[in-house]
Amino acid sequence: MKHSLGSHTIRPHGVYALHGLASFGKDLIAIDTIRGYLVRIDCIGDDTEILNAHQTREAIGATGLALWDDTLWYTKSDRVYSCQIGDWTPQPFATLPYPANGVAACQGVVYVSCQRLGCIFAFHRETGREITKFYAPGVGIESLTVRGEELWVSDTVEQTVYCLDRATGDILFSALTPFESPTGLTFHPHPETGEEILYVAYAKEEPYIRDNPNSSNPYQLTFRDRTFIHPLHFSYSAEKRYTLSNGYLVEMSYVEELSPLDAVELDNLQWRIGLPTNTPRQTVKSIEPVGLPFTVEERDGQQWAVFEFDRLQPHEARIFGWKAVLEVRSIKYNLTPPDVEKLGEIPPEYQERYLSDNDNLAMDKDIVQRSARYAIGSETNWLRQVLSIRDYVYERLDYGIKPHIDTPDIVLDRGKGSCGEYVGVLLALLRLNGIPCRTVGRYKCPAKPELRNVPLEPDYNHVWLEFYLPGWGWIPMESNPDDITDRGPYPLRFFMGLAWYHIEMTKGDKFETLMRNGEKVPKEVVSLGDLAINHVRFRILDELEPVQ
């Protein structure tokens, strides 16, 4: 299944937080939940018209929108209302015990989502009687739309759009959105070509630096509303069971600046720096050196840039590294526990490399072994085991930046860890349960795709992991970004998924090492941190065409 066309971001005038979205002739309509405006939006020119100019008060706080024939439905508080096109006088349609969020209408059925109950209800369009209900797929506030026999759901927290069978509620597949906090979605024909596009609305506050000339400190951090509409392109592979969605052409540079803390002299030094790799979601278009030439070393399908120094003299100044142009997309695997009930054998080389304690994982410590047993309980399905281990780690740990990485036994006892320490604990618990896994990273591009050709610098490096499923291969899982609530439920946003801004390098191996005469330089002689300062920079060049 493929979907394509267009990368134009629609930015309506005079609105603050768009919720709900529907196709309205050649235009779109949405509700601004803050102002109560029901707005008609031109998809090409961003022209904006308020349709309910004299009845905006009734729609303040509305969070869902649907249109079928000449009837419009919207949700507000615990009520679902309907009105006629051109009249806009709301009539009560249905009441839920808790706030109603999204709404969709098709033929004789009106669907309503309720985050508090975790359900999607189906009501008879004429009588308002409940027909059936099924579980909602995500944990955030959800918006709905219908296409044929499919019910499409966007989730603000999951940053995901789901395609459901609208009769049963079964998830057919899902796709990550390129932006956070999707608040509405609809299919709409392109006004010039007629090709159907899935448009998604987004609404969230963003921080910015305000220039206040009346203050002694004129530059002040504050927040503003940010809302827009953007096409979501997706390509689902039923055979490989993953969905690729919006991607970007990104330039990344990794450069080291020699700046030793102490006078150091080294002969025959080889400086190895990991290079980006080709994956189902990432394609390396080009790589070139920065400052000094390098040779490429390849091992186990991965590559390193190797810089040679015959003699590194005290206080020598150098800049060297690489610059790569990459195509990166979001990916979401749609595997379910029944898919992994009958797994094949783990390759022998994986058993040795990805099931042993070869990365200071403290797998022999009592607290780590007890945690590994407790995390899975009596579960035998590999996919459920992985999710149970992730949720157990999220319950045990809180996120915090640290200057160095402690071993999993110390981290579990402390109850707080960085992304690298989350990864260490996850690796230890997975391997003790016989599930091969490895570290992946090393950086994330700042998620600001509207800033094209502007140098962007990440605040930190970042690591996540992959676990191996025989017959399916290596499946990604984030370390800590989904640990956003106390004691769950935790999002599945990056469980078996990665956003477009994740850059994949050096899987299961060191990203950067110093070698001399074929052996690693001991930290007692010199460490990377004492020898150089790294400079990481991204430029988002363009949005990619949809996958064909």
Side-chain angles (χ1 to χ4, degrees):
M1 177 181 293
K2 297 175 182 176
H3 189 71
S4 64
L5 194 64
S7 59
H8 170 61
T9 300
I10 304 168
R11 300 185 184 277
H13 300 280
V15 293
Y16 294 81
L18 296 177
H19 282 248
L21 201 59
S23 180
F24 185 58
K26 64 182 181 65
D27 299 317
L28 297 171
I29 56 172
I31 284 182
D32 181 352
T33 187
I34 295 177
R35 297 296 195 190
Y37 298 162
L38 177 65
V39 290
R40 179 195 60 78
I41 305 161
D42 174 30
C43 298
I44 296 179
D46 300 345
D47 183 30
T48 311
E49 177 190 3
I50 298 175
L51 299 177
N52 61 336
H54 303 289
Q55 294 159 300
T56 59
R57 183 178 298 274
E58 290 87 343
I60 293 176
T63 59
L65 180 71
L67 179 65
W68 185 260
D69 291 337
D70 293 328
T71 304
L72 182 139
W73 285 265
Y74 67 88
T75 57
K76 179 180 177 180
S77 186
D78 60 350
R79 300 285 183 90
V80 183
Y81 296 93
S82 67
C83 60
Q84 296 301 306
I85 296 294
D87 184 356
W88 316 121
T89 302
Q91 302 295 328
F93 173 76
T95 302
L96 272 60
Y98 296 105
N101 304 129
V103 60
C106 180
Q107 298 175 342
V109 183
V110 176
Y111 298 91
V112 182
S113 63
C114 177
Q115 181 200 27
R116 183 73 176 272
L117 293 173
C119 291
I120 297 175
F121 296 86
F123 294 97
H124 192 281
R125 180 183 168 190
E126 299 298 331
T127 65
R129 178 179 56 84
E130 180 182 326
I131 302 171
T132 187
K133 64 180 178 181
F134 40 79
Y135 288 114
V139 301
I141 293 176
E142 294 177 322
S143 299
L144 311 175
T145 194
V146 171
R147 183 179 73 164
E149 297 305 312
E150 301 164 345
L151 178 64
W152 289 73
V153 182
S154 68
D155 188 288
T156 55
V157 175
E158 301 281 0
Q159 198 176 323
T160 299
V161 166
Y162 303 88
C163 176
L164 277 58
D165 183 318
R166 72 182 183 95
T168 65
D170 293 338
I171 299 176
L172 303 179
F173 62 90
S174 59
L176 289 172
T177 60
F179 305 96
E180 293 181 324
S181 192
T183 54
L185 74 169
T186 192
F187 286 91
H188 182 70
H190 189 279
E192 294 179 350
T193 67
E195 183 174 355
E196 195 174 45
I197 296 177
L198 175 56
Y199 283 103
V200 179
Y202 300 86
K204 191 177 182 181
E205 282 190 331
E206 65 174 1
Y208 76 106
I209 302 298
R210 178 174 179 263
D211 186 357
N212 182 0
N214 295 321
S215 172
S216 58
N217 180 14
Y219 299 110
Q220 301 172 348
L221 176 64
T222 186
F223 290 84
R224 61 188 173 194
D225 294 300
R226 176 173 181 254
T227 192
F228 57 92
I229 302 167
H230 194 83
L232 177 65
H233 305 302
F234 58 88
S235 176
Y236 173 61
S237 171
E239 178 185 1
K240 299 176 182 178
R241 301 298 296 277
Y242 63 67
T243 307
L244 295 175
S245 52
N246 296 50
Y248 294 86
L249 186 68
V250 174
E251 177 191 273
M252 176 188 176
S253 60
Y254 186 92
V255 173
E256 290 286 6
E257 173 198 353
L258 280 182
S259 182
L261 297 178
D262 300 306
V264 177
E265 185 171 354
L266 294 170
D267 294 330
N268 301 319
L269 182 68
Q270 287 187 323
W271 197 309
R272 288 179 168 86
I273 304 175
L275 293 172
T277 185
N278 288 304
T279 72
R281 56 168 291 276
Q282 177 174 289
T283 301
V284 180
K285 304 299 291 183
S286 66
I287 297 178
E288 61 184 75
V290 173
L292 295 174
F294 63 78
T295 58
V296 176
E297 178 183 298
E298 186 166 345
R299 186 173 66 251
D300 298 330
Q302 301 187 77
Q303 293 184 332
W304 284 259
V306 181
F307 297 88
E308 303 276 357
F309 297 89
D310 293 335
R311 172 171 291 181
L312 198 62
Q313 300 182 20
H315 304 297
E316 181 175 345
R318 295 282 186 181
I319 286 178
F320 59 95
W322 51 258
K323 181 171 67 175
V325 176
L326 313 168
E327 290 184 350
V328 284
R329 302 179 188 273
S330 297
I331 191 169
K332 182 67 176 180
Y333 284 82
N334 294 278
L335 296 168
T336 62
D339 295 324
V340 300
E341 286 292 350
K342 296 180 181 180
L343 293 174
E345 295 295 325
I346 302 172
E349 62 272 21
Y350 286 4
Q351 296 183 33
E352 174 66 25
R353 188 172 180 182
Y354 301 121
L355 286 178
S356 59
D357 188 351
N358 55 12
D359 198 21
N360 204 22
L361 299 177
M363 289 166 57
D364 60 334
K365 300 297 184 181
D366 182 63
I367 188 174
V368 179
Q369 294 183 350
R370 281 190 286 108
S371 295
R373 292 192 299 269
Y374 184 81
I376 67 166
S378 59
E379 185 56 65
T380 59
N381 183 278
W382 266 29
L383 200 55
R384 290 196 186 100
Q385 284 183 346
V386 176
L387 186 57
S388 295
I389 290 170
R390 188 206 72 156
D391 289 352
Y392 173 83
V393 172
Y394 284 6
E395 289 174 3
R396 288 291 303 267
L397 301 184
D398 293 321
Y399 178 70
I401 297 290
K402 290 183 71 277
H404 64 275
I405 303 296
D406 286 321
T407 55
D409 56 325
I410 297 174
V411 177
L412 284 167
D413 185 62
R414 185 177 61 227
K416 189 172 185 178
S418 63
C419 66
E421 290 172 327
Y422 269 75
V423 165
V425 175
L426 288 165
L427 291 176
L429 303 193
L430 288 166
R431 290 183 180 185
L432 282 169
N433 282 291
I435 301 172
C437 51
R438 62 187 182 184
T439 306
V440 186
R442 161 123 176 155
Y443 289 94
K444 292 194 295 187
C445 174
K448 299 178 179 179
E450 68 276 12
L451 299 181
R452 306 286 173 86
N453 293 296
V454 175
L456 302 171
E457 297 181 1
D459 294 320
Y460 311 101
N461 66 343
H462 184 66
V463 288
W464 55 96
L465 70 150
E466 291 178 336
F467 59 93
Y468 183 75
L469 294 178
W472 297 103
W474 290 101
I475 309 299
M477 180 173 70
E478 256 289 16
S479 50
N480 62 283
D482 282 335
D483 187 6
I484 60 175
T485 60
D486 291 330
R487 308 193 67 81
Y490 302 105
L492 297 177
R493 175 178 50 167
F494 298 130
F495 180 69
M496 301 193 295
L498 289 177
W500 64 267
Y501 44 76
H502 290 80
I503 308 299
E504 297 177 86
M505 295 177 278
T506 56
K507 302 186 177 188
D509 213 327
K510 295 292 185 182
F511 171 67
E512 195 167 8
T513 54
L514 297 177
M515 305 290 291
R516 187 172 59 173
N517 300 322
E519 295 183 356
K520 185 177 179 181
V521 178
K523 287 186 177 180
E524 294 76 21
V525 176
V526 66
S527 69
L528 282 164
D530 293 338
L531 193 57
I533 301 171
N534 62 11
H535 301 273
V536 184
R537 189 167 68 191
F538 290 91
R539 284 197 307 141
I540 301 171
L541 304 178
D542 203 357
E543 185 164 2
L544 296 177
E545 290 294 319
V547 175
Q548 299 298 322

